[in-house]
Structure formats: structure tokens, C-alpha cells
Amino acid sequence: MQDLKVTLIQTSLYWENAEANLQQYAHLISQLQEETHLIVLPEMFSTGFSMRAAGLAEPMDGKTMQWMRQQAAAARAVITGSLIIRENNHYYNRLVWMRPDGSFACYDKRHMFRMANEDQHFTPGKSRLIVTLHGWRFCPQVCYDLRFPVWNRNRNDYDAFIIVANWPERRNFAWKHLLQARAIENQAYVIGVNRIGTDGNGVYHSGDSALIDPLGEVVYTEADTPFVKTLLLSAERLHYVRTKMPFLQDADDFEIKT
């Protein structure tokens, strides 16, 4: 395992306007001045957190997937974030892990945010995703999943947890503290990428995107302003924490029924 560079992109989103959002992200990615291995975008990065699934959903060979493939190849980095996908007459809030060679993996958001009626428009996922990159194992999930520690419990199968979100400012106390809690209890780096700005429903988002280390210490975070920040995941730091304080070896065994 080597150190890994991860780029967090925190921006506002153009409401239900995929073309404008893709142009915005393409510009920001093209301006990267240093090498990165992984670029993380927020939840529903092409549309904002909209429940108009039928009108906004794309197929798996649609424009946004093609855009992700092109951007990953150009940046020579994995790009991940979620978008609205239509498949087999169902709609999914689907995170895509797009590799530079055009291959990809997917994770469908498990926990539907019923307070926004997400459960009325989208089908929940049934399985977690673990992906590898340069020896690092990642568990990527989406927004509301952060509140469910059993679902994202480290079963000695990941080194870094990613959460992409459209998490409102009025609940940012929970966002910030849950990111740290997930890092502490799972002895893993946590990468949280959230949007900023006011969405089409009048909901304000403060961002507070962050990188948290395996002891729960905040490596970097910023609120209310757009940023593109490349940060380091330290293999030495992860090894030190897990070797000196091997809490995961005492974790309880359990099964999840879906």
C-alpha cells in the first residue's frame, strides 16, 4: 500500500441542469495542477437532490456516464459520485466508481431519505460495494447511509469510507460528528463530500466537506465556500493506528438481512 492522493470538490449545483453541472465539473477537473488518484463529487452531482426521477434519470450508457468515462481517462484518476439512473423500470440514486480505463463499479444508495419522499421515487440498493485503488480498499456510500453504522461497519474489509451527499446546513452538526464517529469506530479514513448553496427546494447546504483520519481527527474541512482540494491518505498513519490500537480485532460478528 502506498500513500494516495484524493481530490475533494465542493461546489454549488445547478438545479436539475445536467449540462451546466457537467461543464462546471469538467472545468474544475481540467484545472487540477497536481497528480491525483481519486476525484470525489457529491450526491446527484449532475442534477442536485431532486425527486423528479422520471424526468431526470439517465440509462447506464447515458450522457453522464459517458462524461465520467471521458473525465476519468483525461485525469488518469478514478472519479466517483452519484447520479439518477433508470434501469429495468426502476430509478436508483447510484454511485458510480469510474476508472481511467473505462471500467466501473456501482453502489445503489441503501437508505432512502423518507423525509424528502426519496423512498417514493427510488429503489434502495441491497449490497455494499468495496473497491480497490493502489492497494487501498474503499467503501463508498451515499448521504443518508451515514446515519446507519451497522450498514457501514468495517468488517476488516476497507481502509477508507467515502460518503457523497446533499446534506442540508440545518443538520450539519450531525454530518460533522457522524463523519468523525465513522472514522473512529471503523479505524478508517473518512472522506465526506457535500454540496454548497441553495437547491431548487430552497434548502441551503453549507458543504463542510472533510477528510477525517483513522483516529477521528479532522485533516481538512471548509464550509460555505467552493473548493477543490487534493489531500493525502497516509498508509503509515493508517498502519500506525491499526497496529497500536487494534480495536477492530475485538469487533462483534453479525449478519445483515436485506
Side-chain angles (χ1 to χ4, degrees):
M1 180 187 289
Q2 65 187 58
D3 291 347
L4 200 78
K5 291 184 177 181
V6 179
T7 301
L8 286 59
I9 302 184
Q10 176 171 285
T11 63
S12 60
L13 294 175
Y14 296 95
W15 185 247
E16 298 183 346
N17 188 337
E19 182 175 354
N21 286 312
L22 297 185
Q23 287 180 357
Q24 170 182 227
Y25 284 116
H27 174 72
L28 293 173
I29 293 169
S30 72
Q31 297 301 303
L32 290 175
Q33 298 297 309
E34 59 182 305
E35 177 191 35
T36 188
H37 302 105
L38 172 62
I39 299 168
V40 186
L41 309 180
E43 177 184 26
M44 292 192 186
F45 67 87
S46 60
T47 60
F49 188 62
S50 173
M51 296 301 100
R52 203 165 63 84
L56 296 171
E58 299 183 27
M60 284 300 290
D61 60 353
K63 179 178 181 179
T64 301
M65 285 292 292
Q66 296 300 324
W67 178 91
M68 292 186 77
R69 184 172 286 109
Q70 294 164 4
Q71 293 299 316
R76 292 184 292 182
V78 169
I79 295 179
T80 193
S82 86
L83 61 152
I84 303 174
I85 289 291
R86 179 180 63 254
E87 188 173 69
N88 299 324
N89 297 317
H90 291 274
Y91 301 107
Y92 298 93
N93 186 346
R94 178 168 291 174
L95 178 141
V96 175
W97 180 270
M98 182 63 72
R99 304 180 184 95
D101 64 3
S103 66
F104 60 88
C106 298
Y107 166 77
D108 293 329
K109 185 178 181 181
R110 168 66 175 169
H111 299 90
M112 301 289 98
F113 188 60
R114 66 178 62 251
M115 284 70 82
N117 297 318
E118 189 177 15
D119 58 318
Q120 302 298 313
H121 300 277
F122 293 87
T123 299
K126 295 183 179 180
S127 60
R128 301 199 320 173
L129 174 67
I130 304 294
V131 285
T132 60
L133 179 61
H134 297 303
W136 287 78
R137 300 167 300 168
F138 288 86
C139 179
Q141 296 187 13
V142 181
C143 202
Y144 193 40
D145 289 327
L146 180 64
R147 287 186 177 270
F148 301 92
V150 174
W151 182 246
N152 45 57
R153 180 66 173 167
N154 191 350
R155 305 170 204 170
N156 292 308
D157 58 357
Y158 69 78
D159 306 305
F161 177 69
I162 297 174
I163 195 82
V164 302
N166 273 218
W167 196 289
E169 183 272 341
R170 61 195 178 205
R171 289 188 291 277
N172 70 354
F173 180 90
W175 165 259
K176 290 183 282 189
H177 288 79
L178 288 173
L179 290 178
Q180 290 183 278
R182 296 296 88 86
I184 293 167
E185 69 195 9
N186 294 307
Q187 291 196 303
Y189 276 97
V190 169
I191 301 159
V193 173
N194 191 24
R195 65 160 293 173
I196 59 172
T198 303
D199 68 16
N201 295 315
V203 178
Y204 180 72
H205 303 73
S206 56
D208 299 289
S209 299
L211 175 65
I212 314 293
D213 87 352
L215 283 180
E217 297 179 7
V218 178
V219 176
Y220 184 85
T221 189
E222 192 167 347
D224 300 308
T225 57
F227 72 76
V228 179
K229 190 73 174 179
T230 299
L231 302 162
L232 190 72
L233 304 188
S234 168
E236 181 180 2
R237 177 67 166 170
L238 180 68
H239 177 74
Y240 172 82
V241 171
R242 291 183 171 180
T243 301
K244 294 297 182 181
M245 293 164 284
F247 305 136
L248 289 178
Q249 294 182 22
D250 299 316
D252 300 303
D253 292 328
F254 63 91
E255 294 182 2
I256 297 176
K257 295 181 179 180
T258 58

